């Protein structure tokens, strides 16, 4: 069993992977954020692009997402707060020089046409 990258007590196969491969839709903004973190950890850039809202998608190039995803070693996710449409979190990782980093973000999500999408974030 591979533990889920998002930090839940579930396996990746029973947590974020079904969203990433398109079997399930994330039921909440927090679930989407967790699956997006797992997508960064596994290099699933297509999912990251697809779950970014169309109004902000042009600012997120797939090649850049994939490069950032693969150049870092993702350590853990810490959700600090969540509402219906926002999630505040810290993502811990080692950069390409193996220096410890923390990405702090307050993300906003939107529910549209039956799916959650990442809209933007404050860093």
């Amino acid at each position: 069993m591979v533990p889920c990258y998002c930090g839940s007590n579930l396996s990746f196969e029973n947590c974020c992977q079904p969203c990433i491969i398109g079997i399930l839709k994330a039921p909440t903004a927090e679930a989407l954020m967790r699956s997006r973190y797992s997508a960064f950890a596994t290099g699933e850039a297509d999912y990251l692009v697809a779950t970014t809202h169309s109004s902000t998608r042009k600012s997120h190039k797939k090649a850049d997402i994939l490069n950032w995803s693969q150049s870092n070693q993702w350590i853990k996710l810490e959700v600090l707060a969540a509402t219906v449409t926002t999630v505040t979190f810290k993502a811990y990782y080692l950069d390409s020089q193996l220096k410890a980093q923390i990405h702090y973000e307050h993300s906003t999500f939107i529910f549209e046409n039956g799916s959650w999408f990442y809209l933007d974030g404050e860093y």
Side-chain angles (χ1 to χ4, degrees):
M1 175 183 105
V2 175
C4 195
Y5 302 92
C6 79
S8 72
N9 291 324
L10 299 172
S11 69
F12 177 60
E13 182 180 77
N14 292 316
C15 189
C16 290
Q17 187 180 38
C19 292
I20 293 170
I21 63 176
I23 294 171
L24 296 175
K25 291 183 180 182
T28 65
E30 182 178 345
L32 179 65
M33 190 279 309
R34 287 179 175 279
S35 67
R36 286 174 56 87
Y37 174 85
S38 291
F40 272 109
T42 58
E44 294 291 341
D46 287 333
Y47 179 74
L48 293 162
V49 171
T51 57
T52 300
H53 192 262
S54 59
S55 68
T56 57
R57 194 174 292 156
K58 64 182 176 278
S59 303
H60 303 275
K61 292 181 176 56
K62 180 181 170 184
D64 294 340
I65 292 169
L66 186 60
N67 180 51
W68 197 63
S69 168
Q70 294 178 336
S71 66
N72 298 308
Q73 294 177 35
W74 300 93
I75 299 169
K76 77 173 185 174
L77 174 67
E78 180 182 6
V79 175
L80 304 173
T83 68
V84 173
T85 60
T86 65
V87 181
T88 304
F89 67 92
K90 290 181 182 178
Y92 297 81
Y93 64 98
L94 299 177
D95 66 18
S96 58
Q97 284 78 45
L98 301 180
K99 183 178 177 191
Q101 302 287 340
I102 300 173
H103 174 83
Y104 173 90
E105 184 173 332
H106 177 76
S107 299
T108 303
F109 298 85
I110 188 167
F111 190 73
E112 184 174 273
N113 298 323
S115 297
W116 282 101
F117 294 93
Y118 171 78
L119 186 60
D120 59 23
E122 296 175 16
Y123 312 100

